[in-house]
Amino acid sequence: MPVHAPVRPRNDPAQYDDLADVWWDRRGRLAMLHWIAASRAALIPVPVRPGALLVDVGCGGGLLAPHVGRLGYRHLGIDLSVPALRRAAEHGVSPVRADAARLPLAAASADVVVAGELLEHVPDLPPVLAELARVLRPGGTLVLDTIAATRYARLISITLGERIPGGPPPRLHDPRLFVDRDRLRADCARLGIPLRLTGLRLSVRGYLGWLAGRPGAGRMTPARSTAGLFQGVGVKAGPAAPEESP
């Protein structure tokens, strides 16, 4: 974070403007987001048709871009932060400034919708979930990761997380917005997307290697519990989009 960055309220979106220069600094304050992005990418299916579209809602600086590029999707990034979108564009993301609750996309236009580290920043979650479902094709995949509404999550994400190198910058999260897992599953089920949740945690060995300066050492690893950071993946009800001839 810049030395003279202002102290902002918790969950102020302007913090991401302040952090624009460190999105791709793998030794910086957003380092852990690179590790979470790699775990998120592992949930994205191989595209079933040429020109398949992946919509990355809350794309930030585009940390998912290297993974999406290898898979072969067209990568559309949605975010509110103009400086972050500029960084994303430098890495091959097609940037669009928009609110997650009002996506400027046609219904059923996306083969995959990703909402990584987004939902815990949203004051009114149901309209955002409705938009994610609206733009997703029947048979398409929703991938997300977020923070559970638990005391444990507050401990690891704020009390401890904001104090360790590579952890979330101070005041980035507001624990009052952490996500109720049962409500999330119920809301997505009503939208035709049954979610499977899995836990995610920091790899201690990987983190120690990162602290020691080993390239590529930092990573996340599956966790038995979803009470802290967790991932979700679900397929929208309905027939999958047919494969198109090249």
Side-chain angles (χ1 to χ4, degrees):
M1 184 179 292
V3 174
H4 300 295
V7 175
R8 301 190 184 276
R10 281 199 173 273
N11 199 52
D12 186 340
Q15 291 184 77
Y16 289 100
D17 295 346
D18 302 336
L19 292 162
D21 291 338
V22 301
W23 272 107
W24 286 87
D25 179 2
R26 295 179 181 272
R27 305 295 309 171
R29 291 298 289 158
L30 296 178
M32 198 174 295
L33 290 186
H34 287 264
W35 313 336
I36 297 173
S39 293
R40 182 184 313 138
L43 300 178
I44 298 172
V46 174
V48 298
R49 63 192 187 101
L53 176 64
L54 181 146
V55 178
D56 188 359
V57 186
C59 68
L63 303 188
L64 201 58
H67 310 284
V68 173
R70 285 194 291 270
L71 287 168
Y73 285 97
R74 292 183 292 135
H75 189 179
L76 182 69
I78 307 285
D79 209 280
L80 285 173
S81 172
V82 172
L85 287 170
R86 291 195 188 108
R87 294 295 183 191
E90 292 170 0
H91 293 270
V93 180
S94 298
V96 176
R97 187 177 188 274
D99 191 310
R102 294 183 294 276
L103 298 176
L105 300 170
S109 57
D111 298 88
V112 175
V113 173
V114 175
E117 293 300 290
L118 167 71
L119 304 185
E120 72 272 19
H121 296 287
V122 175
D124 189 11
L125 194 52
V128 171
L129 296 175
E131 276 293 90
L132 301 181
R134 181 185 67 82
V135 302
L136 185 62
R137 291 175 180 267
T141 301
L142 173 65
V143 174
L144 60 86
D145 47 67
T146 188
I147 305 174
T150 64
R151 291 181 180 177
Y152 173 70
R154 180 169 184 157
L155 172 67
I156 63 169
S157 297
I158 294 179
T159 307
L160 298 177
E162 291 184 356
R163 289 170 170 80
I164 65 172
R171 308 185 70 80
L172 197 67
H173 294 111
D174 183 343
R176 293 174 297 181
L177 299 179
F178 287 178
V179 177
D180 183 293
R181 291 159 289 169
D182 291 337
R183 186 175 302 170
L184 174 65
R185 278 192 294 249
D187 286 345
C188 286
R190 281 191 291 270
L191 294 165
I193 308 174
L195 276 185
R196 174 175 57 86
L197 304 186
T198 55
L200 198 63
R201 66 173 178 82
L202 182 65
S203 163
V204 175
R205 179 179 296 181
Y207 184 65
L208 292 176
W210 179 81
L211 287 175
R214 292 202 296 271
R219 63 185 179 89
M220 308 302 289
T221 192
R224 291 184 179 180
S225 173
T226 60
L229 179 65
F230 68 90
Q231 299 176 300
V233 61
V235 175
K236 185 175 179 180
E243 294 189 28
E244 297 178 2
S245 299

